[in-house]
């Protein structure tokens, strides 16, 4: 039995081996591209969630700034950010809820944040009503007591956990 390969068989084997290697490289490249694409989508989603978290905090901070401006000055024009926040906050929280709907741990944290958000807006509203009733000294003492700041700190802590 002659074990030597003919020139034609060697060429055919070389082409076959090259084809198998190219197919393998193509499959690995396709897999890598798919993994990169999926990772990119997850990163984009994460950035969107982080943006919505910041949106909720910004809306609440706007409400707080408007409320404090009104408490200090008594000028109704300072109430505009607070009034805008009242209408925007529900949409901002709902947008966030939709984005994290696939993550039960995040939904749980958002559920913990919901009463803090409601309490913060209620407290700001209460301060505004007290200032409108000319209870300036009382409302000043309440603001200085720091309940609103504690609520914002609690919310920042909860959102910080969500960011992690």
């Amino acid at each position: 039995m002659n074990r030597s390969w003919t020139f034609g068989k060697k060429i055919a084997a070389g082409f076959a081996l090259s084809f198998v290697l190219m197919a393998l490289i193509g499959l690995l490249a396709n897999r890598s591209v798919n993994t990169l694409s999926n990772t990119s989508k997850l990163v984009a989603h994460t950035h969107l969630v982080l943006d919505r978290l910041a949106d909720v905090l910004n809306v609440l901070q706007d409400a707080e700034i408007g409320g404090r401006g009104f408490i200090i000055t008594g000028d109704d024009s300072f109430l505009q950010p607070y009034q805008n926040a009242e209408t925007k906050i529900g949409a901002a929280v709902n947008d966030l809820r939709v984005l994290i709907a696939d993550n039960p741990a995040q939904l749980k944290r958002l559920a913990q944040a919901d009463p803090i958000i409601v309490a913060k807006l209620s407290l700001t509203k209460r301060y505004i009503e007290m200032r409108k009733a000319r209870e300036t000294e009382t409302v000043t003492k309440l603001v200085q007591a720091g309940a609103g700041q504690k609520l914002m700190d609690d919310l920042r802590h909860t959102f910080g956990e969500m960011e992690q």
Side-chain angles (χ1 to χ4, degrees):
M1 216 191 228
N2 190 0
R3 292 191 177 229
S4 67
W5 285 33
T6 65
F7 181 73
K9 286 184 181 179
K10 289 179 184 178
I11 294 286
F15 276 119
L17 180 61
S18 296
F19 178 77
V20 168
L21 287 175
M22 290 298 286
L24 183 62
I25 290 170
L27 288 173
L28 290 174
N30 186 41
R31 181 176 172 211
S32 294
V33 167
N34 286 339
T35 300
L36 180 63
S37 176
N38 289 337
T39 302
S40 178
K41 287 177 187 175
L42 289 174
V43 168
H45 178 77
T46 298
H47 283 288
L48 197 54
V49 169
L50 292 174
D51 286 346
R52 292 305 167 264
L53 284 169
D55 288 348
V56 172
L57 278 176
N58 288 336
V59 168
L60 284 174
Q61 286 172 342
D62 287 348
E64 183 176 43
I65 290 166
R68 284 190 180 167
F70 176 74
I71 290 166
I72 292 168
T73 66
D75 184 352
D76 286 344
S77 67
F78 283 94
L79 291 177
Q80 190 63 43
Y82 169 77
Q83 292 163 342
N84 290 343
E86 281 187 314
T87 59
K88 289 181 181 178
I89 193 68
V93 171
N94 285 337
D95 288 348
L96 181 59
R97 187 172 281 113
V98 167
L99 285 173
I100 62 172
D102 61 340
N103 190 329
Q106 293 289 57
L107 286 171
K108 181 180 176 185
R109 288 184 189 103
L110 186 58
Q112 292 169 345
D114 278 337
I116 299 170
I117 293 167
V118 169
K120 178 61 183 161
L121 286 173
S122 295
L123 186 63
T124 303
K125 183 177 183 176
R126 181 175 160 221
Y127 290 168
I128 289 168
E129 289 171 355
M130 290 175 76
R131 177 59 171 98
K132 284 181 178 180
R134 304 208 185 276
E135 298 174 21
T136 308
E137 188 176 316
T138 305
V139 74
T140 301
K141 287 180 183 178
L142 288 173
V143 170
Q144 288 173 339
Q149 184 63 43
K150 181 178 180 340
L151 288 170
M152 285 301 287
D153 289 344
D154 290 347
L155 189 62
R156 283 186 191 98
H157 176 75
T158 301
F159 280 8
E161 290 176 351
M162 291 178 80
E163 288 176 3
Q164 296 302 319

